[in-house]
Amino acid sequence: MKIKKDVVEIVFNSLEGQLSREQIEHMLEKPQYDYMGDLAFPCFTLAKLFRQSPQSIASDIASKITNPLVEKVEAVRGYVNVFLKRDKVTNEVINEVNRSAQEYGNLDIGRGEVVTLDFSSPNIAKPFSMGHLRSTVIGNSLALVAEKCGYKTVKINHIGDWGTQFGKLIVAYRLWGKEDTLRQDPIKELLKLYVHFHEKAEHDPSLNDQAREWFKKLEEGNEEARSLWTWFREESLQEFSKIYKKLGITFDSYHGEAFYNDKMQRIVDLLEEKKMLEQSEGAHVVPLEDLPPCLIRKRDGSTLYATRDLAAAVYRQENYHFKKSLYVVGNEQSLHFQQLFTVLKKMGYEWQKGMEHISFGMMLKDGKKMSTRKGKIVLLEEVIQEAISLAMKNINDKNPQLEAKEEVARHVGTGAIIFHDLKHHRSNDIEFSLEDMLRFEGETGPYVQYTHARASSLLVKGQFEKDSDHVGIDDKEAWSVVTQLMYFPNVIKRASENSDPSQIAKYVVELSRAFNQYYGSVRVLDDASKRQARLSLVYSVKAVLKEGLRLLGLQAPEKM
RNA sequence: GCGCCCGUAGCUCAAUUGGAUAGAGUAUCUGACUACGAAUCAGAAGGUUAGAGGUUCGAGUCCUCUCGGGCGCACCA
């Protein structure tokens, strides 16, 4: 918004260079209450520099502010409060949003550099649980935000298709599995085998030894192990793709862990060359100063997660030349990423600085982590299905003649689930609650979608002409909508800087709320002379809501 | 034991990154559909920000300690 830059400039000039423009812009804030104006600048930090009271500094600055968009300026309790000329600012904002439409809020902080995002990354032969949902929707949204900020993105689904778990599954399948039952419902059957294995292994530790043995065979190319692995993998990927399709999420790469099998030796050699490897209790490790050592090779010579992640990082840098590399993975793996990053740094890779673990809290059930091993998980597929059914029921109740009901129900149902996840700050644990997830009222995805649909139908009914000349809006009630619209680019910036999609989720709720209040108090279509002007506001709201929802990975149906 | 995350209204969460009087949703109660879409809106009520110190003009936010919860900590990923 231009006005903000103007105020920064005026304050900057009146401070004789004591603060930079960036600092001033950072300090400018939105006052808490309306009567304090539309922009505020606190002068407390300046009191020492100028050896004056904050209040007298504020008065001084206030007296210097003159601008065609400013109505009046007050100095109150050490703050400079700026009141904007609402009619003029309203017109500027609405014109800008109307002109740029879905490009409103685009930023150029990425400057075309590449950011890789490692997210979703479900494990083969395990069902897609609620836990994986978080990584999936957060990663997807971060990718969309990054693109809006001018980055090029590479979305990587680092499938968990390697590791000792396969040894376990192979052992379990050979002992208790039946081919035809597994063919019928592969994921459920594999989960049963996995759970059964862990029950038995508690009393019979030799099973774990067998599992490690079979994993070693798999790494050495044993034919039976290999063909079972391929089979399990195919079945799982098919199952996952159903879910991605429902959520509307795509990837640029499905290179999983197995992809790096032939790329690990090089890393081990490099570590050897740099004298970073040490033997410890028969295993090969990289000792680290303030962290536990990073395990590279097991006693029996087979590889570990860290080994593959090292290979993956190098591969990604060499192939994508990333500036930033984000790992959207649960916070229970924060130690692993600290180790990974430290090892890469010790190897001398400058680009390691661009890597970041975007951690998030877990989905808890009854206050506890859900455990695949014990079969204590909630299947995402079932939750999605329930949400879609409920959305369908709502449509049949409220709008039975709607076209393309199935599609809309899918958009609303999945929207509720995605939004429920993204509105919480990443780092918080989320207690699993089907009831909360299936709520369509209040601060929810469907609330925002509903607001968008409402705006859409106003535009159709009022025959909005986008490019016509509009006289200004003079509704008092429009102001809070206009200020919200004005903040959108800031919200994008914050979401990007903090890798925090919840900023956008909260924002679209606020904008919806402001618009619904406006809608409740102003009859948009009644007065023909004001209709097009008011519709231009409605159009701005619709465009920004749609864009905000898109950045979260939600659809914005025209009707619902 | 050590490390990381967290503790705000009955419940679920915010709080412009240290700013003015801590705000929403939900649940409860009340009001608004022959009304541009009631998946909505208006109103009531709900708080010693876990507790104690400290830093400063100012602390829910930063530091220390205590209590409580979650997750990690060598051959799983």
Side-chain angles (χ1 to χ4, degrees):
Chain A
M1 193 51 206
K2 198 172 142 287
I3 178 69
K4 195 168 172 182
K5 291 241 152 48
D6 292 350
V7 173
V8 168
E9 203 56 37
I10 293 163
V11 174
F12 178 77
N13 288 328
S14 65
L15 291 182
E16 298 152 12
Q18 294 281 2
L19 292 174
S20 71
R21 290 182 174 84
E22 288 72 33
Q23 284 172 308
I24 294 166
E25 181 163 357
H26 187 75
M27 285 166 73
L28 268 182
E29 57 191 59
K30 172 195 167 197
Q32 205 164 2
Y33 300 95
D34 260 2
Y35 72 87
M36 296 168 176
D38 303 304
L39 276 172
F41 183 77
C43 300
F44 307 99
T45 45
L46 298 168
K48 273 184 198 155
L49 285 170
F50 289 95
R51 293 159 150 243
Q52 284 179 50
S53 73
Q55 179 58 26
S56 71
I57 298 170
S59 317
D60 198 41
I61 294 174
S63 68
K64 289 180 184 157
I65 295 182
T66 49
N67 187 287
L69 291 176
V70 171
E71 177 74 37
K72 62 169 176 172
V73 185
E74 288 175 350
V76 187
R77 300 169 61 184
Y79 286 87
V80 180
N81 289 338
V82 179
F83 295 75
L84 300 175
K85 281 208 173 106
R86 298 191 167 184
D87 51 345
K88 287 195 174 164
V89 173
T90 298
N91 279 332
E92 280 219 1
V93 170
I94 288 178
N95 279 333
E96 190 181 341
V97 179
N98 275 263
R99 198 171 46 240
S100 12
Q102 70 274 11
E103 286 175 22
Y104 179 60
N106 283 11
L107 300 174
D108 190 34
I109 48 186
R111 289 193 284 265
E113 314 235 56
V114 174
V115 42
T116 62
L117 297 103
D118 179 317
F119 66 101
S120 196
S121 312
N123 293 322
I124 296 295
K126 290 190 195 173
F128 204 105
S129 70
M130 294 305 305
H132 287 116
L133 175 68
R134 300 215 71 193
S135 173
T136 307
V137 299
I138 293 169
N140 183 242
S141 176
L142 290 180
L144 293 164
V145 171
E147 280 160 21
K148 190 162 182 73
C149 291
Y151 289 98
K152 289 201 175 76
T153 62
V154 183
K155 296 181 281 183
I156 304 170
N157 196 344
H158 191 65
I159 303 277
D161 57 2
W162 208 249
T164 313
Q165 53 176 340
F166 280 95
K168 292 177 181 175
L169 273 167
I170 292 168
V171 171
Y173 178 74
R174 285 168 49 93
L175 286 174
W176 313 296
K178 294 206 188 78
E179 181 167 345
D180 41 332
T181 48
L182 210 150
R183 290 245 179 247
Q184 276 175 13
D185 194 348
I187 296 288
K188 271 213 177 105
E189 202 53 38
L190 284 168
L191 175 64
K192 263 191 210 163
L193 287 172
Y194 192 72
V195 172
H196 192 67
F197 178 92
H198 281 97
E199 282 167 6
K200 290 283 177 191
E202 269 190 43
H203 310 290
D204 182 3
S206 76
L207 283 172
N208 285 320
D209 297 333
Q210 289 180 49
R212 273 190 286 272
E213 236 168 78
W214 271 101
F215 175 57
K216 188 145 198 287
K217 285 186 191 173
L218 180 61
E219 279 212 309
E220 286 162 353
N222 174 289
E223 211 171 293
E224 183 183 354
R226 198 82 198 174
S227 78
L228 282 175
W229 175 80
T230 311
W231 180 30
F232 296 164
R233 189 173 187 278
E234 289 302 309
E235 294 290 359
S236 297
L237 283 179
Q238 236 169 53
E239 203 70 18
F240 297 155
S241 73
K242 280 190 221 162
I243 288 175
Y244 293 132
K245 202 173 167 195
K246 275 200 183 120
L247 295 175
I249 288 173
T250 59
F251 295 91
D252 301 307
S253 163
Y254 282 85
H255 288 330
E257 296 183 46
F259 175 78
Y260 298 99
N261 280 340
D262 59 359
K263 298 167 182 62
M264 284 185 287
Q265 188 55 47
R266 193 184 136 205
I267 302 296
V268 177
D269 292 345
L270 267 170
L271 289 170
E272 198 85 60
E273 240 172 71
K274 293 174 194 282
K275 309 263 186 247
M276 290 167 63
L277 273 187
E278 272 179 24
Q279 289 247 5
S280 172
E281 298 171 38
H284 289 74
V285 308
V286 176
L288 303 170
E289 277 83 60
D290 300 317
L291 296 168
C294 181
L295 265 85
I296 302 297
R297 254 188 214 287
K298 292 192 244 181
R299 204 178 325 213
D300 65 7
S302 59
T303 59
L304 284 137
Y305 185 43
T307 329
R308 282 184 287 280
D309 263 4
L310 286 169
V314 172
Y315 175 87
R316 288 172 189 174
Q317 176 55 223
E318 286 175 352
N319 283 272
Y320 305 125
H321 312 287
F322 62 77
K323 177 84 176 181
K324 293 207 289 179
S325 181
L326 308 184
Y327 291 81
V328 186
V329 181
N331 60 18
E332 75 259 39
Q333 290 195 35
S334 58
L335 177 61
H336 164 73
F337 283 105
Q338 281 180 49
Q339 292 174 317
L340 180 70
F341 296 165
T342 310
V343 171
L344 286 166
K345 199 173 170 187
K346 281 178 82 119
M347 289 174 82
Y349 293 124
E350 266 298 302
W351 47 259
Q352 182 279 323
K353 286 196 195 113
M355 297 171 80
E356 197 180 342
H357 176 205
I358 308 298
S359 67
F360 53 85
M362 354 191 51
M363 205 49 106
L364 302 177
K365 180 98 170 113
D366 305 321
K368 292 266 162 58
K369 184 182 179 181
M370 300 190 218
S371 160
T372 311
R373 296 183 180 189
K374 294 176 182 157
K376 286 174 93 175
I377 47 164
V378 179
L379 299 183
L380 177 59
E381 175 120 46
E382 290 172 7
V383 176
I384 292 179
Q385 210 41 61
E386 242 176 289
I388 293 174
S389 309
L390 185 60
M392 184 56 100
K393 185 178 166 294
N394 273 287
I395 291 168
N396 285 329
D397 283 356
K398 296 170 187 190
N399 198 358
Q401 74 286 2
L402 180 69
E403 291 167 37
K405 282 185 195 174
E406 283 78 15
E407 194 190 9
V408 173
R410 186 166 59 81
H411 290 159
V412 174
T414 56
I417 288 171
I418 295 172
F419 195 93
H420 172 265
D421 198 311
L422 291 182
K423 77 176 176 184
H424 298 99
H425 184 86
R426 312 191 317 258
S427 63
N428 294 348
D429 288 341
I430 298 182
E431 172 68 24
F432 174 80
S433 158
L434 195 61
E435 196 193 338
D436 282 355
M437 247 177 245
L438 300 186
R439 180 163 282 144
F440 291 178
E441 291 161 13
E443 297 169 327
T444 66
Y447 171 75
V448 179
Q449 288 171 319
Y450 175 80
T451 309
H452 173 269
R454 219 181 201 187
S456 302
S457 83
L458 274 181
L459 293 170
V460 172
K461 282 216 169 108
Q463 297 177 314
F464 175 57
E465 299 150 26
K466 193 184 170 195
D467 298 318
S468 65
D469 237 359
H470 314 116
V471 264
I473 297 172
D474 51 8
D475 308 317
K476 282 201 303 288
E477 298 86 347
W479 184 241
S480 59
V481 178
V482 172
T483 52
Q484 285 297 328
L485 291 170
M486 197 162 71
Y487 298 140
F488 185 61
N490 270 335
V491 172
I492 303 297
K493 192 172 167 218
R494 283 197 2 224
S496 168
E497 283 172 352
N498 302 323
S499 299
D500 182 8
S502 76
Q503 297 289 338
I504 297 173
K506 282 163 212 155
Y507 172 81
V508 290
V509 166
E510 301 259 312
L511 177 58
S512 297
R513 187 151 36 224
F515 177 70
N516 281 324
Q517 281 165 2
Y518 176 75
Y519 182 93
S521 58
V522 175
R523 309 272 312 160
V524 173
L525 301 179
D526 281 4
D527 185 339
S529 67
K530 294 181 174 173
R531 188 182 300 154
Q532 288 302 323
R534 285 172 168 160
L535 284 174
S536 67
L537 176 73
V538 176
Y539 177 82
S540 294
V541 170
K542 174 186 147 90
V544 173
L545 283 182
K546 185 173 181 175
E547 181 63 2
L549 288 171
R550 185 187 73 80
L551 292 171
L552 296 169
L554 272 76
Q555 298 287 328
E558 297 285 315
K559 296 177 181 172
M560 61 187 268

